[in-house]
Short mmCIF file of all heavy atoms in Angstrom, two decimals:
data_model
loop_
_atom_site.label_atom_id
_atom_site.label_comp_id
_atom_site.label_asym_id
_atom_site.label_seq_id
_atom_site.Cartn_x
_atom_site.Cartn_y
_atom_site.Cartn_z
N ARG A 79 -26.34 -1.71 31.96
CA ARG A 79 -26.01 -1.91 30.56
C ARG A 79 -27.14 -2.60 29.82
O ARG A 79 -27.50 -2.20 28.72
CB ARG A 79 -24.70 -2.72 30.44
CG ARG A 79 -24.42 -3.12 29.08
CD ARG A 79 -23.16 -3.96 28.98
NE ARG A 79 -23.07 -4.43 27.59
CZ ARG A 79 -22.51 -5.51 27.20
NH1 ARG A 79 -21.89 -6.23 28.05
NH2 ARG A 79 -22.49 -5.84 25.95
N GLU A 80 -27.72 -3.63 30.38
CA GLU A 80 -28.76 -4.39 29.70
C GLU A 80 -30.01 -3.60 29.43
O GLU A 80 -30.78 -3.95 28.54
CB GLU A 80 -29.13 -5.64 30.52
CG GLU A 80 -28.04 -6.72 30.53
CD GLU A 80 -26.90 -6.38 31.52
OE1 GLU A 80 -27.16 -5.63 32.46
OE2 GLU A 80 -25.80 -6.87 31.30
N GLU A 81 -30.24 -2.52 30.13
CA GLU A 81 -31.42 -1.69 29.95
C GLU A 81 -31.22 -0.54 28.99
O GLU A 81 -32.12 0.26 28.84
CB GLU A 81 -31.90 -1.20 31.30
CG GLU A 81 -32.34 -2.30 32.21
CD GLU A 81 -32.76 -1.83 33.59
OE1 GLU A 81 -32.72 -0.62 33.83
OE2 GLU A 81 -33.09 -2.67 34.43
N VAL A 82 -30.07 -0.51 28.36
CA VAL A 82 -29.72 0.59 27.48
C VAL A 82 -29.52 0.10 26.03
O VAL A 82 -28.88 -0.95 25.83
CB VAL A 82 -28.46 1.32 27.94
CG1 VAL A 82 -28.07 2.48 27.02
CG2 VAL A 82 -28.64 1.80 29.37
N VAL A 83 -30.06 0.84 25.03
CA VAL A 83 -29.83 0.47 23.65
C VAL A 83 -29.19 1.67 22.96
O VAL A 83 -29.29 2.81 23.44
CB VAL A 83 -31.11 0.09 22.89
CG1 VAL A 83 -31.72 -1.16 23.52
CG2 VAL A 83 -32.07 1.21 22.83
N GLY A 84 -28.54 1.39 21.86
CA GLY A 84 -27.97 2.44 21.03
C GLY A 84 -28.45 2.24 19.61
O GLY A 84 -28.73 1.12 19.16
N ILE A 85 -28.54 3.36 18.90
CA ILE A 85 -28.93 3.34 17.45
C ILE A 85 -28.00 4.29 16.72
O ILE A 85 -27.78 5.41 17.17
CB ILE A 85 -30.38 3.76 17.25
CG1 ILE A 85 -31.33 3.01 18.16
CG2 ILE A 85 -30.76 3.61 15.76
CD1 ILE A 85 -32.74 3.56 18.16
N GLY A 86 -27.50 3.86 15.59
CA GLY A 86 -26.64 4.77 14.83
C GLY A 86 -26.42 4.27 13.44
O GLY A 86 -27.04 3.33 12.95
N GLU A 87 -25.45 5.00 12.78
CA GLU A 87 -25.23 4.68 11.36
C GLU A 87 -23.75 4.83 10.95
O GLU A 87 -23.46 4.70 9.75
CB GLU A 87 -26.07 5.59 10.48
CG GLU A 87 -25.70 7.08 10.64
CD GLU A 87 -26.60 7.99 9.79
OE1 GLU A 87 -27.56 7.52 9.19
OE2 GLU A 87 -26.26 9.18 9.72
N SER A 88 -22.86 5.03 11.87
CA SER A 88 -21.48 5.25 11.49
C SER A 88 -20.53 4.49 12.38
O SER A 88 -20.93 3.99 13.48
CB SER A 88 -21.13 6.74 11.57
OG SER A 88 -21.06 7.17 12.91
N ILE A 89 -19.28 4.41 11.94
CA ILE A 89 -18.25 3.77 12.78
C ILE A 89 -18.11 4.45 14.09
O ILE A 89 -17.98 3.82 15.14
CB ILE A 89 -16.90 3.72 12.01
CG1 ILE A 89 -16.97 2.82 10.78
CG2 ILE A 89 -15.74 3.35 12.92
CD1 ILE A 89 -17.09 1.33 11.12
N GLY A 90 -18.19 5.79 14.05
CA GLY A 90 -18.11 6.54 15.31
C GLY A 90 -19.24 6.21 16.27
O GLY A 90 -19.05 6.15 17.47
N ASP A 91 -20.43 6.05 15.70
CA ASP A 91 -21.60 5.70 16.55
C ASP A 91 -21.44 4.34 17.20
O ASP A 91 -21.80 4.14 18.33
CB ASP A 91 -22.89 5.73 15.75
CG ASP A 91 -23.25 7.07 15.22
OD1 ASP A 91 -22.83 8.08 15.78
OD2 ASP A 91 -24.00 7.12 14.20
N ILE A 92 -20.92 3.40 16.43
CA ILE A 92 -20.87 2.01 16.85
C ILE A 92 -19.87 1.78 18.02
O ILE A 92 -19.93 0.75 18.69
CB ILE A 92 -20.48 1.08 15.64
CG1 ILE A 92 -21.10 -0.30 15.83
CG2 ILE A 92 -19.04 1.00 15.43
CD1 ILE A 92 -21.06 -1.12 14.56
N GLU A 93 -19.05 2.78 18.29
CA GLU A 93 -18.09 2.63 19.39
C GLU A 93 -18.77 2.49 20.76
O GLU A 93 -18.15 2.01 21.70
CB GLU A 93 -17.17 3.87 19.43
CG GLU A 93 -16.20 3.90 18.28
CD GLU A 93 -15.31 5.12 18.24
OE1 GLU A 93 -15.38 5.92 19.17
OE2 GLU A 93 -14.53 5.22 17.31
N ILE A 94 -20.06 2.89 20.86
CA ILE A 94 -20.74 2.73 22.15
C ILE A 94 -21.29 1.36 22.37
O ILE A 94 -21.76 1.02 23.46
CB ILE A 94 -21.86 3.79 22.32
CG1 ILE A 94 -23.02 3.51 21.38
CG2 ILE A 94 -21.34 5.20 22.24
CD1 ILE A 94 -24.34 4.21 21.78
N ALA A 95 -21.26 0.50 21.35
CA ALA A 95 -21.84 -0.85 21.44
C ALA A 95 -21.39 -1.61 22.69
O ALA A 95 -22.24 -2.29 23.32
CB ALA A 95 -21.55 -1.63 20.18
N PRO A 96 -20.12 -1.58 23.08
CA PRO A 96 -19.75 -2.32 24.30
C PRO A 96 -20.41 -1.81 25.60
O PRO A 96 -20.41 -2.49 26.58
CB PRO A 96 -18.22 -2.15 24.35
CG PRO A 96 -17.79 -1.81 22.98
CD PRO A 96 -18.96 -1.03 22.41
N GLU A 97 -20.93 -0.61 25.51
CA GLU A 97 -21.49 0.03 26.73
C GLU A 97 -23.01 -0.18 26.86
O GLU A 97 -23.62 0.25 27.84
CB GLU A 97 -21.20 1.51 26.75
CG GLU A 97 -19.71 1.83 26.60
CD GLU A 97 -18.84 1.20 27.67
OE1 GLU A 97 -19.30 1.08 28.83
OE2 GLU A 97 -17.74 0.76 27.33
N VAL A 98 -23.65 -0.80 25.83
CA VAL A 98 -25.10 -0.94 25.83
C VAL A 98 -25.49 -2.42 25.70
O VAL A 98 -24.67 -3.23 25.25
CB VAL A 98 -25.74 -0.13 24.68
CG1 VAL A 98 -25.46 1.36 24.87
CG2 VAL A 98 -25.29 -0.58 23.34
N GLY A 99 -26.73 -2.72 26.05
CA GLY A 99 -27.17 -4.11 25.93
C GLY A 99 -27.38 -4.54 24.48
O GLY A 99 -27.11 -5.67 24.12
N ALA A 100 -27.86 -3.64 23.66
CA ALA A 100 -28.08 -3.92 22.25
C ALA A 100 -27.79 -2.63 21.45
O ALA A 100 -28.15 -1.53 21.88
CB ALA A 100 -29.50 -4.34 21.98
N TYR A 101 -27.16 -2.82 20.33
CA TYR A 101 -26.86 -1.65 19.45
C TYR A 101 -27.39 -1.96 18.07
O TYR A 101 -27.11 -3.02 17.53
CB TYR A 101 -25.37 -1.36 19.37
CG TYR A 101 -25.06 -0.16 18.57
CD1 TYR A 101 -25.13 1.10 19.14
CD2 TYR A 101 -24.74 -0.25 17.21
CE1 TYR A 101 -24.92 2.25 18.38
CE2 TYR A 101 -24.54 0.89 16.47
CZ TYR A 101 -24.62 2.11 17.06
OH TYR A 101 -24.42 3.23 16.29
N PHE A 102 -28.17 -1.06 17.51
CA PHE A 102 -28.80 -1.24 16.22
C PHE A 102 -28.17 -0.27 15.18
O PHE A 102 -28.00 0.90 15.47
CB PHE A 102 -30.28 -0.97 16.28
CG PHE A 102 -31.01 -1.91 17.18
CD1 PHE A 102 -31.16 -1.64 18.54
CD2 PHE A 102 -31.52 -3.11 16.70
CE1 PHE A 102 -31.83 -2.51 19.40
CE2 PHE A 102 -32.17 -3.99 17.54
CZ PHE A 102 -32.34 -3.68 18.88
N VAL A 103 -27.84 -0.81 14.01
CA VAL A 103 -27.32 0.00 12.93
C VAL A 103 -28.36 0.11 11.85
O VAL A 103 -28.86 -0.93 11.36
CB VAL A 103 -26.03 -0.63 12.33
CG1 VAL A 103 -25.47 0.25 11.20
CG2 VAL A 103 -25.01 -0.86 13.40
N VAL A 104 -28.74 1.33 11.48
CA VAL A 104 -29.74 1.49 10.41
C VAL A 104 -29.09 1.10 9.07
O VAL A 104 -27.85 1.17 8.88
CB VAL A 104 -30.31 2.93 10.38
CG1 VAL A 104 -31.17 3.16 11.65
CG2 VAL A 104 -29.24 3.95 10.25
N LYS A 105 -29.90 0.73 8.14
CA LYS A 105 -29.45 0.13 6.85
C LYS A 105 -28.48 1.09 6.13
O LYS A 105 -27.46 0.62 5.55
CB LYS A 105 -30.65 -0.15 5.94
CG LYS A 105 -30.28 -0.76 4.64
CD LYS A 105 -31.51 -1.07 3.84
CE LYS A 105 -31.16 -1.67 2.49
NZ LYS A 105 -32.34 -2.03 1.73
N ASN A 106 -28.73 2.37 6.11
CA ASN A 106 -27.88 3.27 5.38
C ASN A 106 -26.47 3.31 5.97
O ASN A 106 -25.52 3.67 5.28
CB ASN A 106 -28.49 4.69 5.26
CG ASN A 106 -28.86 5.27 6.59
OD1 ASN A 106 -29.78 4.77 7.23
ND2 ASN A 106 -28.18 6.34 7.00
N GLY A 107 -26.33 2.99 7.24
CA GLY A 107 -25.02 2.95 7.85
C GLY A 107 -24.11 1.89 7.21
O GLY A 107 -22.96 2.17 6.91
N VAL A 108 -24.69 0.74 6.96
CA VAL A 108 -23.95 -0.36 6.34
C VAL A 108 -23.71 -0.01 4.84
O VAL A 108 -22.65 -0.33 4.29
CB VAL A 108 -24.69 -1.67 6.48
CG1 VAL A 108 -23.96 -2.81 5.77
CG2 VAL A 108 -24.82 -2.01 7.96
N GLU A 109 -24.67 0.60 4.23
CA GLU A 109 -24.51 0.97 2.80
C GLU A 109 -23.40 2.00 2.63
O GLU A 109 -22.64 1.89 1.70
CB GLU A 109 -25.82 1.54 2.25
CG GLU A 109 -26.89 0.50 2.17
CD GLU A 109 -28.28 1.07 1.79
OE1 GLU A 109 -28.46 2.32 1.93
OE2 GLU A 109 -29.14 0.29 1.38
N ASN A 110 -23.29 2.92 3.60
CA ASN A 110 -22.25 3.96 3.55
C ASN A 110 -20.91 3.50 4.04
O ASN A 110 -19.87 4.03 3.65
CB ASN A 110 -22.69 5.22 4.29
CG ASN A 110 -23.92 5.87 3.69
OD1 ASN A 110 -24.15 5.77 2.49
ND2 ASN A 110 -24.68 6.55 4.53
N GLU A 111 -20.90 2.54 4.93
CA GLU A 111 -19.67 2.07 5.57
C GLU A 111 -19.72 0.54 5.69
O GLU A 111 -20.11 0.00 6.71
CB GLU A 111 -19.47 2.72 6.95
CG GLU A 111 -18.20 2.39 7.62
CD GLU A 111 -16.97 2.74 6.81
OE1 GLU A 111 -16.68 3.91 6.64
OE2 GLU A 111 -16.27 1.79 6.33
N PRO A 112 -19.35 -0.19 4.63
CA PRO A 112 -19.51 -1.64 4.58
C PRO A 112 -18.77 -2.39 5.70
O PRO A 112 -19.20 -3.47 6.10
CB PRO A 112 -18.90 -2.05 3.25
CG PRO A 112 -19.06 -0.82 2.38
CD PRO A 112 -18.88 0.32 3.34
N ARG A 113 -17.71 -1.81 6.26
CA ARG A 113 -17.02 -2.57 7.35
C ARG A 113 -17.83 -2.67 8.62
O ARG A 113 -17.50 -3.50 9.45
CB ARG A 113 -15.62 -1.96 7.59
CG ARG A 113 -15.63 -0.58 8.10
CD ARG A 113 -14.19 -0.05 8.18
NE ARG A 113 -14.25 1.37 8.46
CZ ARG A 113 -13.42 2.00 9.29
NH1 ARG A 113 -12.49 1.30 9.89
NH2 ARG A 113 -13.55 3.26 9.50
N ILE A 114 -18.89 -1.91 8.71
CA ILE A 114 -19.79 -2.05 9.88
C ILE A 114 -20.34 -3.47 9.90
O ILE A 114 -20.50 -4.07 10.98
CB ILE A 114 -20.92 -1.04 9.88
CG1 ILE A 114 -20.35 0.38 10.17
CG2 ILE A 114 -22.03 -1.38 10.86
CD1 ILE A 114 -21.37 1.48 10.09
N LYS A 115 -20.63 -4.05 8.77
CA LYS A 115 -21.12 -5.42 8.70
C LYS A 115 -20.15 -6.40 9.34
O LYS A 115 -20.53 -7.30 10.06
CB LYS A 115 -21.46 -5.82 7.27
CG LYS A 115 -22.10 -7.16 7.12
CD LYS A 115 -22.44 -7.50 5.70
CE LYS A 115 -23.07 -8.86 5.62
NZ LYS A 115 -23.34 -9.24 4.23
N ASP A 116 -18.88 -6.26 9.04
CA ASP A 116 -17.82 -7.11 9.61
C ASP A 116 -17.79 -6.96 11.15
O ASP A 116 -17.66 -7.93 11.86
CB ASP A 116 -16.45 -6.81 9.01
CG ASP A 116 -16.41 -7.15 7.55
OD1 ASP A 116 -17.08 -8.05 7.09
OD2 ASP A 116 -15.61 -6.47 6.84
N ILE A 117 -17.87 -5.74 11.58
CA ILE A 117 -17.89 -5.47 13.05
C ILE A 117 -19.07 -6.13 13.69
O ILE A 117 -18.94 -6.78 14.76
CB ILE A 117 -17.84 -3.95 13.34
CG1 ILE A 117 -16.50 -3.36 12.83
CG2 ILE A 117 -18.03 -3.67 14.80
CD1 ILE A 117 -16.48 -1.84 12.81
N ALA A 118 -20.24 -5.98 13.08
CA ALA A 118 -21.47 -6.58 13.62
C ALA A 118 -21.40 -8.10 13.71
O ALA A 118 -21.87 -8.71 14.65
CB ALA A 118 -22.67 -6.15 12.82
N GLU A 119 -20.81 -8.70 12.67
CA GLU A 119 -20.73 -10.16 12.64
C GLU A 119 -19.82 -10.73 13.74
O GLU A 119 -19.95 -11.85 14.11
CB GLU A 119 -20.24 -10.62 11.27
CG GLU A 119 -21.25 -10.46 10.17
CD GLU A 119 -20.71 -10.77 8.79
OE1 GLU A 119 -19.50 -10.98 8.62
OE2 GLU A 119 -21.57 -10.79 7.86
N ASN A 120 -18.94 -9.90 14.27
CA ASN A 120 -18.05 -10.33 15.34
C ASN A 120 -18.48 -9.83 16.73
O ASN A 120 -17.69 -9.80 17.65
CB ASN A 120 -16.61 -9.84 15.05
CG ASN A 120 -16.03 -10.58 13.86
OD1 ASN A 120 -16.04 -11.77 13.79
ND2 ASN A 120 -15.59 -9.82 12.89
N SER A 121 -19.70 -9.40 16.80
CA SER A 121 -20.25 -8.88 18.07
C SER A 121 -21.54 -9.61 18.41
O SER A 121 -22.31 -9.98 17.52
CB SER A 121 -20.51 -7.41 17.97
OG SER A 121 -21.13 -6.90 19.13
N ASP A 122 -21.82 -9.75 19.68
CA ASP A 122 -23.06 -10.43 20.10
C ASP A 122 -24.19 -9.47 20.39
O ASP A 122 -25.27 -9.92 20.71
CB ASP A 122 -22.79 -11.36 21.29
CG ASP A 122 -22.35 -10.61 22.52
OD1 ASP A 122 -22.02 -9.39 22.41
OD2 ASP A 122 -22.29 -11.20 23.59
N ASN A 123 -23.94 -8.15 20.29
CA ASN A 123 -25.00 -7.22 20.60
C ASN A 123 -25.24 -6.15 19.56
O ASN A 123 -25.92 -5.17 19.82
CB ASN A 123 -24.78 -6.57 21.98
CG ASN A 123 -23.67 -5.52 21.96
OD1 ASN A 123 -22.71 -5.62 21.17
ND2 ASN A 123 -23.77 -4.51 22.78
N ILE A 124 -24.67 -6.32 18.35
CA ILE A 124 -24.89 -5.36 17.27
C ILE A 124 -25.79 -6.01 16.24
O ILE A 124 -25.49 -7.11 15.73
CB ILE A 124 -23.56 -4.95 16.62
CG1 ILE A 124 -22.65 -4.26 17.65
CG2 ILE A 124 -23.80 -3.98 15.46
CD1 ILE A 124 -21.24 -3.91 17.17
N PHE A 125 -26.85 -5.28 15.92
CA PHE A 125 -27.86 -5.77 14.98
C PHE A 125 -28.04 -4.81 13.83
O PHE A 125 -28.21 -3.62 14.06
CB PHE A 125 -29.20 -6.02 15.71
CG PHE A 125 -29.06 -6.90 16.90
CD1 PHE A 125 -28.86 -6.35 18.14
CD2 PHE A 125 -29.07 -8.26 16.77
CE1 PHE A 125 -28.70 -7.16 19.29
CE2 PHE A 125 -28.93 -9.09 17.90
CZ PHE A 125 -28.74 -8.54 19.14
N ILE A 126 -28.02 -5.31 12.60
CA ILE A 126 -28.18 -4.48 11.41
C ILE A 126 -29.64 -4.53 10.99
O ILE A 126 -30.23 -5.63 10.83
CB ILE A 126 -27.27 -4.94 10.28
CG1 ILE A 126 -25.82 -4.78 10.71
CG2 ILE A 126 -27.57 -4.14 9.02
CD1 ILE A 126 -24.81 -5.35 9.74
N LEU A 127 -30.23 -3.38 10.83
CA LEU A 127 -31.65 -3.30 10.45
C LEU A 127 -31.82 -3.29 8.92
O LEU A 127 -30.92 -2.86 8.19
CB LEU A 127 -32.25 -2.01 11.02
CG LEU A 127 -32.21 -1.91 12.55
CD1 LEU A 127 -32.47 -0.49 13.00
CD2 LEU A 127 -33.21 -2.87 13.17
N ASP A 128 -32.96 -3.73 8.46
CA ASP A 128 -33.33 -3.69 7.03
C ASP A 128 -33.80 -2.31 6.66
O ASP A 128 -33.94 -2.06 5.47
CB ASP A 128 -34.41 -4.74 6.70
CG ASP A 128 -33.89 -6.17 6.83
OD1 ASP A 128 -32.69 -6.38 6.62
OD2 ASP A 128 -34.69 -7.04 7.17
N GLU A 129 -34.12 -1.50 7.62
CA GLU A 129 -34.69 -0.17 7.37
C GLU A 129 -33.60 0.93 7.53
O GLU A 129 -32.74 0.78 8.40
CB GLU A 129 -35.87 0.11 8.31
CG GLU A 129 -37.03 -0.77 8.12
CD GLU A 129 -36.91 -2.13 8.81
OE1 GLU A 129 -35.94 -2.32 9.60
OE2 GLU A 129 -37.72 -3.02 8.56
N ALA A 130 -33.73 1.98 6.76
CA ALA A 130 -32.76 3.09 6.85
C ALA A 130 -33.34 4.25 7.62
O ALA A 130 -34.56 4.39 7.76
CB ALA A 130 -32.39 3.55 5.43
N MET A 131 -32.46 5.07 8.08
CA MET A 131 -32.77 6.39 8.73
C MET A 131 -33.94 6.30 9.68
O MET A 131 -33.94 5.48 10.61
CB MET A 131 -32.93 7.41 7.63
CG MET A 131 -31.66 7.53 6.76
SD MET A 131 -31.85 8.39 5.24
CE MET A 131 -32.01 10.08 5.77
N GLY A 132 -34.92 7.15 9.49
CA GLY A 132 -36.07 7.27 10.43
C GLY A 132 -36.88 5.98 10.50
O GLY A 132 -37.37 5.64 11.61
N LEU A 133 -36.98 5.23 9.41
CA LEU A 133 -37.69 3.95 9.50
C LEU A 133 -36.93 2.95 10.33
O LEU A 133 -37.53 2.09 11.01
CB LEU A 133 -37.93 3.40 8.08
CG LEU A 133 -38.94 4.18 7.21
CD1 LEU A 133 -39.03 3.57 5.83
CD2 LEU A 133 -40.31 4.16 7.87
N GLY A 134 -35.61 3.04 10.31
CA GLY A 134 -34.79 2.20 11.19
C GLY A 134 -35.06 2.52 12.67
O GLY A 134 -35.20 1.61 13.50
N TRP A 135 -35.09 3.78 12.98
CA TRP A 135 -35.39 4.17 14.35
C TRP A 135 -36.78 3.66 14.79
O TRP A 135 -36.92 3.13 15.88
CB TRP A 135 -35.34 5.70 14.47
CG TRP A 135 -33.98 6.23 14.54
CD1 TRP A 135 -33.08 6.37 13.53
CD2 TRP A 135 -33.26 6.67 15.71
NE1 TRP A 135 -31.91 6.90 13.98
CE2 TRP A 135 -31.99 7.12 15.31
CE3 TRP A 135 -33.65 6.80 17.06
CZ2 TRP A 135 -31.07 7.63 16.21
CZ3 TRP A 135 -32.73 7.32 17.94
CH2 TRP A 135 -31.46 7.73 17.51
N ALA A 136 -37.77 3.79 13.88
CA ALA A 136 -39.09 3.30 14.20
C ALA A 136 -39.12 1.83 14.40
O ALA A 136 -39.80 1.30 15.28
CB ALA A 136 -40.04 3.72 13.06
N LYS A 137 -38.33 1.09 13.65
CA LYS A 137 -38.22 -0.37 13.76
C LYS A 137 -37.67 -0.75 15.16
O LYS A 137 -38.19 -1.66 15.81
CB LYS A 137 -37.35 -0.96 12.69
CG LYS A 137 -37.17 -2.43 12.74
CD LYS A 137 -38.49 -3.14 12.49
CE LYS A 137 -38.31 -4.64 12.39
NZ LYS A 137 -39.51 -5.30 12.00
N VAL A 138 -36.68 -0.01 15.65
CA VAL A 138 -36.14 -0.30 16.95
C VAL A 138 -37.19 -0.09 18.04
O VAL A 138 -37.35 -0.88 18.95
CB VAL A 138 -34.87 0.55 17.25
CG1 VAL A 138 -34.43 0.41 18.71
CG2 VAL A 138 -33.75 0.12 16.29
N ILE A 139 -37.96 0.98 17.94
CA ILE A 139 -39.02 1.26 18.90
C ILE A 139 -40.01 0.11 18.88
O ILE A 139 -40.48 -0.37 19.91
CB ILE A 139 -39.70 2.59 18.62
CG1 ILE A 139 -38.69 3.77 18.73
CG2 ILE A 139 -40.88 2.80 19.54
CD1 ILE A 139 -38.01 3.88 20.09
N ASP A 140 -40.37 -0.34 17.69
CA ASP A 140 -41.29 -1.46 17.55
C ASP A 140 -40.75 -2.71 18.20
O ASP A 140 -41.42 -3.42 18.92
CB ASP A 140 -41.59 -1.72 16.06
CG ASP A 140 -42.68 -2.74 15.83
OD1 ASP A 140 -43.74 -2.64 16.43
OD2 ASP A 140 -42.41 -3.72 15.06
N ILE A 141 -39.50 -3.02 17.97
CA ILE A 141 -38.83 -4.18 18.58
C ILE A 141 -38.87 -4.08 20.09
O ILE A 141 -39.23 -5.05 20.79
CB ILE A 141 -37.39 -4.32 18.09
CG1 ILE A 141 -37.31 -4.69 16.59
CG2 ILE A 141 -36.58 -5.30 18.94
CD1 ILE A 141 -35.96 -4.57 15.97
N LEU A 142 -38.54 -2.91 20.60
CA LEU A 142 -38.51 -2.74 22.08
C LEU A 142 -39.92 -2.84 22.69
O LEU A 142 -40.06 -3.45 23.76
CB LEU A 142 -37.88 -1.41 22.42
CG LEU A 142 -36.37 -1.26 22.05
CD1 LEU A 142 -35.89 0.12 22.33
CD2 LEU A 142 -35.55 -2.31 22.75
N LEU A 143 -40.89 -2.27 22.05
CA LEU A 143 -42.26 -2.38 22.54
C LEU A 143 -42.74 -3.83 22.54
O LEU A 143 -43.40 -4.27 23.46
CB LEU A 143 -43.21 -1.52 21.73
CG LEU A 143 -43.04 -0.02 21.91
CD1 LEU A 143 -43.93 0.74 20.94
CD2 LEU A 143 -43.39 0.38 23.36
N ASN A 144 -42.38 -4.59 21.51
CA ASN A 144 -42.74 -6.02 21.47
C ASN A 144 -42.02 -6.83 22.54
O ASN A 144 -42.57 -7.76 23.10
CB ASN A 144 -42.54 -6.59 20.09
CG ASN A 144 -43.61 -6.17 19.10
OD1 ASN A 144 -44.78 -6.18 19.46
ND2 ASN A 144 -43.24 -5.75 17.93
N LEU A 145 -40.78 -6.46 22.81
CA LEU A 145 -40.03 -7.20 23.85
C LEU A 145 -40.66 -6.96 25.22
O LEU A 145 -40.66 -7.83 26.08
CB LEU A 145 -38.57 -6.74 23.90
CG LEU A 145 -37.69 -7.28 22.79
CD1 LEU A 145 -36.29 -6.66 22.88
CD2 LEU A 145 -37.55 -8.80 22.85
N LYS A 146 -41.19 -5.78 25.41
CA LYS A 146 -41.81 -5.44 26.71
C LYS A 146 -43.03 -6.33 26.96
O LYS A 146 -43.41 -6.59 28.08
CB LYS A 146 -42.19 -3.96 26.72
CG LYS A 146 -42.66 -3.52 28.09
CD LYS A 146 -42.89 -2.03 28.10
CE LYS A 146 -43.32 -1.63 29.50
NZ LYS A 146 -43.52 -0.24 29.61
N LYS A 147 -43.65 -6.79 25.87
CA LYS A 147 -44.84 -7.68 26.02
C LYS A 147 -44.49 -9.09 26.45
O LYS A 147 -45.32 -9.78 26.95
CB LYS A 147 -45.60 -7.71 24.70
CG LYS A 147 -46.18 -6.39 24.30
CD LYS A 147 -46.85 -6.51 22.97
CE LYS A 147 -47.33 -5.12 22.48
NZ LYS A 147 -47.89 -5.18 21.13
N ILE A 148 -43.22 -9.45 26.30
CA ILE A 148 -42.79 -10.79 26.68
C ILE A 148 -42.61 -10.82 28.21
O ILE A 148 -41.99 -9.99 28.80
CB ILE A 148 -41.41 -11.13 26.00
CG1 ILE A 148 -41.58 -11.16 24.49
CG2 ILE A 148 -40.91 -12.47 26.54
CD1 ILE A 148 -40.28 -11.27 23.75
N LYS A 149 -43.19 -11.85 28.82
CA LYS A 149 -43.05 -12.01 30.28
C LYS A 149 -41.82 -12.85 30.55
O LYS A 149 -41.69 -13.94 30.01
CB LYS A 149 -44.30 -12.66 30.84
CG LYS A 149 -45.53 -11.82 30.58
CD LYS A 149 -46.63 -12.17 31.53
CE LYS A 149 -47.81 -11.36 31.10
NZ LYS A 149 -48.47 -10.67 32.18
N TRP A 150 -40.91 -12.36 31.31
CA TRP A 150 -39.65 -13.03 31.60
C TRP A 150 -39.82 -14.03 32.71
O TRP A 150 -40.07 -14.19 33.64
CB TRP A 150 -38.56 -12.02 31.93
CG TRP A 150 -38.30 -11.10 30.79
CD1 TRP A 150 -38.82 -9.88 30.65
CD2 TRP A 150 -37.54 -11.38 29.61
NE1 TRP A 150 -38.45 -9.33 29.44
CE2 TRP A 150 -37.67 -10.20 28.81
CE3 TRP A 150 -36.82 -12.44 29.14
CZ2 TRP A 150 -37.05 -10.11 27.59
CZ3 TRP A 150 -36.17 -12.31 27.93
CH2 TRP A 150 -36.32 -11.16 27.16
#
């Protein structure tokens, strides 16, 4: 679970959050479905991005690449 991430933009997408280590919601997801913000606030592994659509996906890749640089 910890080695898996999810990215999406809808309530249907967010259902996989309990099965992954981190789940990212692109900005347009929250803009289109405001209750996603409430769900994220009550979860420890759902993160809302400032970027929408493709830029949101790119942001997640950037985050993951930077995490790989951290020595545990």
Side-chain angles (χ1 to χ4, degrees):
R79 172 182 172 206
E80 289 78 24
E81 296 178 0
V82 179
V83 299
I85 308 170
E87 63 182 6
S88 72
I89 292 292
D91 295 337
I92 209 168
E93 291 178 3
I94 69 163
E97 307 302 324
V98 299
Y101 184 83
F102 297 90
V103 181
V104 293
K105 182 179 180 178
N106 55 292
V108 176
E109 292 172 343
N110 295 333
E111 184 57 70
R113 64 187 170 139
I114 289 176
K115 185 176 180 185
D116 295 330
I117 295 169
E119 288 174 352
N120 292 307
S121 174
D122 62 350
N123 74 329
I124 299 175
F125 305 94
I126 298 173
L127 299 166
D128 292 330
E129 296 81 9
M131 301 165 73
L133 291 177
W135 282 76
K137 180 65 173 187
V138 172
I139 299 302
D140 186 52
I141 290 168
L142 296 174
L143 288 173
N144 283 316
L145 284 175
K146 189 173 181 179
K147 294 177 186 175
I148 297 171
K149 299 200 184 228
W150 300 97

